Amino acid sequence: MFNKAKNAPPENKTSTLIPPDTRSSATQGTPTSSARPSLSVIGAHTQVEGDINSDEDLTVEGRVSGIITCKQHTVTLGANGYINGDVFAHTLHVSGEVIGNLVVLHRATIHKGAQVSGTIVAPCLVLEDGSVFHGSIDMDPDNEVLKSAFGDAIGGVTKTSALNNASVANSRKASVDKHATASANAAEHDKTEAKAND
């Protein structure tokens, strides 16, 4: 049987070229890179000083000093990550330490072990047990800071100044309240001394 095949005259066949499969066997069945969401990672041994503008999801495992703007994507701060500056994101997950203002369009989650100092402006906020937060929270979805930060026509300078103006207004209100309390206490003290002298 094998001898017949060896001795058989060659057949006259037309050959057709089949283009090779450009996908490797490891990537078959997985979405192409354009369908996969892209992700930027700032590693644990990386320190960034300056502003970051990202048009993809961003994970911070290292240290960042500056404004992070990721308006249409998610910013994730790892457990050992550190941010000193404001963050503008669609969705935010914080497990590390932040000193700055967080402005989030959709949802902010402050996970167990996280430490946040500043103002959080988000319509949906989750503070897990074991997280530490010092500052103020505004969950009004019609907040002017949210509108200015995520409005298409408004630039980065306006969003930062709007947040700073809100912070200044809050600090002025706090100092006025403290001043009013001090004045009231002084007046009460004067009344007490006047009664004692009578």
Side-chain angles (χ1 to χ4, degrees), residues 62-73:
R63 299 176 67 85
V64 174
S65 295
I67 298 172
I68 296 176
T69 305
C70 191
K71 291 182 180 181
Q72 297 175 353
H73 298 279

Side-chain angles (χ1 to χ4, degrees), residues 11-196:
E11 296 178 20
N12 197 4
K13 292 183 181 178
T14 59
S15 62
T16 58
L17 293 177
I18 300 172
D21 187 8
T22 57
R23 296 179 299 168
S24 70
S25 60
T27 60
Q28 287 181 355
T30 59
T32 61
S33 62
S34 63
R36 229 179 324 187
S38 55
L39 171 69
S40 291
V41 177
I42 297 173
H45 301 289
T46 304
Q47 181 174 343
V48 177
E49 292 186 17
D51 297 344
I52 298 173
N53 293 311
S54 180
D55 197 20
E56 60 189 357
D57 290 350
L58 176 66
T59 297
V60 178
E61 296 291 343
R63 299 176 67 85
V64 174
S65 295
I67 298 172
I68 296 176
T69 305
C70 191
K71 291 182 180 181
Q72 297 175 353
H73 298 279
T74 300
V75 174
T76 302
L77 178 64
N80 296 319
Y82 173 80
I83 297 173
N84 185 354
D86 298 342
V87 178
F88 297 87
H90 180 269
T91 306
L92 178 67
H93 295 278
V94 176
S95 296
E97 182 179 358
V98 177
I99 299 173
N101 301 309
L102 308 176
V103 181
V104 183
L105 182 62
H106 178 63
R107 179 182 183 155
T109 305
I110 312 303
H111 296 283
K112 179 181 180 178
Q115 296 182 15
V116 178
S117 296
T119 300
I120 299 176
V121 179
C124 181
L125 175 63
V126 176
L127 291 172
E128 290 183 355
D129 287 345
S131 63
V132 177
F133 173 71
H134 299 282
S136 62
I137 298 172
D138 190 336
M139 296 178 64
D140 181 6
D142 293 327
N143 185 301
E144 288 300 319
V145 174
L146 277 176
K147 287 180 182 178
S148 65
F150 292 95
D152 292 339
I154 298 179
V157 174
T158 307
K159 72 179 177 199
T160 304
S161 64
L163 184 59
N164 289 338
N165 289 342
S167 298
V168 168
N170 285 340
S171 65
R172 284 184 186 157
K173 179 182 176 194
S175 64
V176 168
D177 290 344
K178 288 178 185 174
H179 180 69
T181 304
S183 297
N185 289 342
E188 187 65 32
H189 179 70
D190 291 343
K191 286 181 186 176
T192 306
E193 279 188 15
K195 288 181 182 179

